[in-house]
Amino acid sequence: MLTSAKTRMYGFVFSFLVIPVALYAVFVIGPYAQAFYISLTNWRGITGNPQYIGFENFTRLFSDEVFWAAVRHHALLLVAMPLITIAIALFFSFLLNLGGGSKGGRMTGVFGSRLYRVVYFFPQVLAVAVIGVLFQAVYRPDGTGIINGLLDLVGIAPVGWLIAPDLALWSIMGVLVWQSVGFYVVLFSAGMAAVPKDVFEAAALDGAGRFRLFFSITLPLIWDTIQVGWVYLGIAAFDCFALVQVLSVDRGGPDNATTVLPLEIWRNAFTFSKFGYASAMGVALFFLTLTFAALSLRVTRRERIEL
């Protein structure tokens, strides 16, 4: 009788899983497997059968200066972008949820926190292409640009935000941070909301100031949420094709100062018709992303605090 009940349960679960798993295999695992195969060929993506060339694309890849420039840019993005975004989002989240202090025995956010939540989240509803066009006007290198127009008012010469090799990548990173902060404010606010308010109120009654409340209580209790946010931001740093495509000079310029791997994959595939070489870059990007996620989860792992 028990075996029959288990059989029916497994059959019920299987009937719900078989279609999603099949779709995932066809539309996700299938293209991945195809990309791995194409990376071992010299296929040009138009006509003819791919010719197997083994690891020739990968050998060429590791001697490609543009590829290594893109990897260095990703390394900078992986360090700077998550740190800046998480720091800003945590600061805003703390203000919106606990920054108002204890009022009537309850922890509250700063005045107008509901409005601020909408304002911070607003960039998330804009398409990436729209954000790129918007910041083209912000970063315009002459006095008609918004930032350079403000600098001109105080007597500072216009700055080539997107045409100076030393500034271009940082300028694009600023847009990535601006776009991302709102989502992580919501994410961290949800993490703080999951912590019982009694914990914060007890700490406030014991005389804990905002600094101690944040670093000694809030940060450890939402560490799992921060860990997830760090991984998400790292993956986003590997996937910044659209903004670089729209904002950079000559698609990755000047002088490859802003190029990233997704842009090089697109360029090799659809500009130079080197689909085999582009697939090799895609495979490299796949393993870089997996390595980052695994290392991040390992390095940031800490003992869970139970309440």
Side-chain angles (χ1 to χ4, degrees):
M1 188 73 177
L2 184 60
T3 303
S4 178
K6 283 187 176 182
T7 302
R8 287 198 300 270
M9 181 187 70
Y10 290 145
F12 178 77
V13 173
F14 178 79
S15 65
F16 274 91
L17 289 179
V18 62
I19 294 178
V21 170
L23 291 174
Y24 186 84
V26 171
F27 294 106
V28 178
I29 297 177
Y32 273 123
Q34 189 177 27
F36 275 80
Y37 168 70
I38 294 174
S39 69
L40 302 175
T41 71
N42 63 353
W43 189 46
R44 299 189 62 83
I46 302 173
T47 58
N49 295 323
Q51 181 182 355
Y52 179 79
I53 58 173
F55 291 96
E56 184 178 321
N57 285 326
F58 293 96
T59 303
R60 178 185 167 196
L61 191 67
F62 291 118
S63 61
D64 188 342
E65 293 183 1
V66 178
F67 169 78
W68 287 113
V71 171
R72 288 194 298 271
H73 297 157
H74 283 299
L76 177 61
L77 289 169
L78 283 172
V79 174
M81 182 185 162
L83 283 175
I84 297 171
T85 304
I86 288 175
I88 296 174
L90 281 172
F91 175 72
F92 287 157
S93 301
F94 183 78
L95 291 180
L96 294 179
N97 291 274
L98 305 168
S102 179
K103 295 181 180 178
R106 296 178 63 253
M107 298 298 296
T108 61
V110 296
F111 177 77
S113 58
R114 292 184 179 179
L115 174 63
Y116 295 146
R117 283 189 176 92
V118 176
V119 173
Y120 295 151
F121 193 75
F122 179 71
Q124 288 291 312
V125 305
L126 296 177
V128 176
V130 173
I131 293 174
V133 173
L134 173 66
F135 275 89
Q136 282 180 339
V138 173
Y139 285 140
R140 201 168 294 153
D142 53 27
T144 61
I146 295 175
I147 296 179
N148 282 329
L150 295 174
L151 293 177
D152 186 57
L153 294 177
V154 294
I156 300 177
V159 177
W161 300 102
L162 296 174
I163 61 176
D166 294 336
L167 289 176
L169 186 62
W170 289 99
S171 300
I172 294 175
M173 190 189 305
V175 182
L176 289 168
V177 171
W178 179 83
Q179 180 194 17
S180 303
V181 162
F183 173 80
Y184 293 96
V185 168
V186 174
L187 181 66
F188 297 150
S189 294
M192 293 179 190
V195 178
K197 293 292 184 182
D198 296 345
V199 176
F200 298 116
E201 291 163 7
L205 290 174
D206 287 340
R210 285 186 174 87
F211 186 86
R212 178 57 63 86
L213 196 64
F214 177 76
F215 285 100
S216 298
I217 299 176
T218 306
L219 207 58
L221 291 177
I222 66 167
W223 186 257
D224 288 347
T225 307
I226 296 172
Q227 184 185 46
V228 171
W230 186 280
V231 174
Y232 282 174
L233 281 165
I235 294 173
F238 279 116
D239 183 26
C240 49
F241 166 79
L243 275 177
V244 175
Q245 170 83 337
V246 175
L247 284 175
S248 63
V249 177
D250 195 25
R251 295 174 181 172
D255 297 328
N256 295 319
T258 59
T259 192
V260 289
L261 284 177
L263 182 62
E264 290 305 315
I265 292 170
W266 178 87
R267 198 201 318 261
N268 278 278
F270 298 105
T271 302
F272 305 131
S273 295
K274 298 178 180 178
F275 279 78
Y277 189 58
S279 296
M281 283 191 175
V283 171
L285 178 60
F286 173 78
F287 283 110
L288 284 172
T289 305
L290 281 184
T291 302
F292 165 78
L295 286 177
S296 295
L297 291 173
R298 177 70 178 176
V299 171
T300 60
R301 187 174 62 183
R302 58 189 295 176
E303 187 176 348
R304 181 186 295 270
I305 298 176
E306 300 289 348
L307 296 175

